[in-house]
Amino acid sequence: MTESKRKTVGRPAGNGKAASGHSQSLVRGLNILEGLAAAPGGLALSDIAQIVGLAPSTTHRLLQALHQQGFIAQDAEMGVWHIDAKTFRVGNAFLEARDFVATARPFLHQLTAETEETANLGIRDQGMAVFLAQSESPQMMRMITRLGSRAPLHASGVGKALLAWLPRDEVERILHTRGLDKVTPNTLDTPSRLRDALGEIRRQGYACDREEHAIGLNCVAATLHDENGLPLAAISVSGPAARIPEARLAELGGLVSRAAREITTRLGGRLPGDAD
């Protein structure tokens, strides 16, 4: 093997100098994010430049790049920089995957053992319910949802459980953005019907999906709350309407809402209305 070939073994194709430069910029950008995350009040350009050990002009270019991607923002009045919503979402994704899915999983298995139906856990993402975990029913005919699949918030048990505890203005924004498409003949497709249903969910502590997402499938869901009492996720029990008729919804609602309260407590969350 020649000397020139030996130098390239194990290295990615392309310009090594350019790749090194990109890596260095990435490390510096991450250092900026770490510095801003540790300063809730924000930092001035001079302070950030000192943290990363760069000239203010170079630091400003990095700040602009992070700003354009939505990771940081600048207070126009104070002139300081601080982390923005996108950085929060990235960090939150790790916390959510690490904490509440693992905490909820034994409760999902317990719900399946008690009901012999499929138990699910889902979150809200971009105006949709997204399913992250599942405990399958042992029955031959059972409800199975592919993990990562999505359902409309207004047309699913998990979705309505999440909507019920959101601030009213956020619910209105979601309805305006997403609309109320009729997924089945039973879908709540008018704002007044949905608002009435959300009020009932808050009163009874659980949501019911009566063949609103799929004909022949019924579901009961309840909300997991964060430390501010806001919806973090929701768990549900779903199965064929023949095995989950109207007469069984209240029984399952009690089981699911109790499990949701226990998970909320374990996560350090707070039920709406609880004293601080």
Side-chain angles (χ1 to χ4, degrees):
M1 183 181 293
T2 65
E3 183 66 22
S4 61
K5 287 183 179 180
R6 276 198 299 268
K7 288 181 180 179
T8 62
V9 172
R11 294 184 181 181
N15 188 311
K17 186 175 180 180
S20 176
H22 290 315
S23 298
Q24 192 175 52
S25 296
L26 176 60
V27 170
R28 288 169 172 172
L30 293 173
N31 287 338
I32 288 175
L33 291 178
E34 287 183 351
L36 291 175
L43 293 171
L45 172 61
S46 57
D47 297 324
I48 300 169
Q50 188 173 1
I51 288 173
V52 294
L54 295 172
S57 58
T58 304
T59 304
H60 189 261
R61 286 197 295 273
L62 291 171
L63 290 170
Q64 288 297 324
L66 291 168
H67 175 60
Q68 289 170 6
Q69 294 300 314
F71 287 103
I72 64 173
Q74 186 178 31
D75 186 317
E77 189 172 317
M78 302 293 293
V80 297
W81 294 86
H82 54 82
I83 61 171
D84 206 358
K86 195 169 185 179
T87 300
F88 175 81
R89 288 199 301 271
V90 171
N92 228 29
F94 169 73
L95 291 176
E96 290 171 351
R98 182 192 63 180
D99 290 334
F100 71 75
V101 174
T103 301
R105 205 177 297 278
F107 291 89
L108 298 182
H109 293 317
Q110 181 61 31
L111 284 170
T112 295
E114 292 175 333
T115 65
E116 294 197 335
E117 301 296 349
T118 297
N120 292 290
L121 178 144
I123 62 170
R124 177 173 60 95
D125 180 61
Q126 297 180 351
M128 299 285 281
V130 183
F131 296 93
L132 298 185
Q134 183 176 87
S135 173
E136 286 188 25
S137 165
Q139 301 279 359
M140 183 175 294
M141 291 183 62
R142 59 187 183 269
M143 179 270 195
I144 298 178
T145 299
R146 181 175 54 83
L147 298 186
S149 64
R150 294 170 174 259
L153 290 175
H154 71 286
S156 60
V158 163
K160 290 193 295 181
L162 292 167
L163 278 177
W165 300 104
L166 285 174
R168 182 176 298 179
D169 59 345
E170 191 163 356
V171 173
E172 295 300 324
R173 181 184 60 77
I174 291 171
L175 298 186
H176 178 73
T177 304
R178 284 285 174 181
L180 295 172
D181 292 339
K182 205 169 182 65
V183 182
T184 77
N186 300 317
T187 303
L188 305 180
D189 60 347
T190 67
S192 61
R193 291 180 66 199
L194 181 61
R195 291 189 191 102
D196 288 345
L198 298 183
E200 182 182 16
I201 292 165
R202 290 190 292 271
R203 287 190 297 273
Q204 67 188 11
Y206 58 88
C208 295
D209 168 2
R210 297 173 171 90
E211 301 186 70
E212 296 160 40
H213 185 244
I215 292 298
L217 183 71
N218 280 346
C219 170
V220 176
T223 315
L224 313 183
H225 298 273
D226 66 14
E227 66 278 5
N228 298 310
L230 294 172
L232 175 67
I235 58 173
S236 68
V237 166
S238 304
R243 287 203 307 266
I244 305 183
E246 183 71 27
R248 198 183 176 200
L249 293 179
E251 171 206 343
L252 295 180
L255 292 173
V256 174
S257 58
R258 184 173 67 242
R261 287 194 300 270
E262 291 184 30
I263 298 169
T264 294
T265 299
R266 293 207 182 183
L267 292 170
R270 179 175 63 83
L271 297 175
D274 283 359
D276 292 331

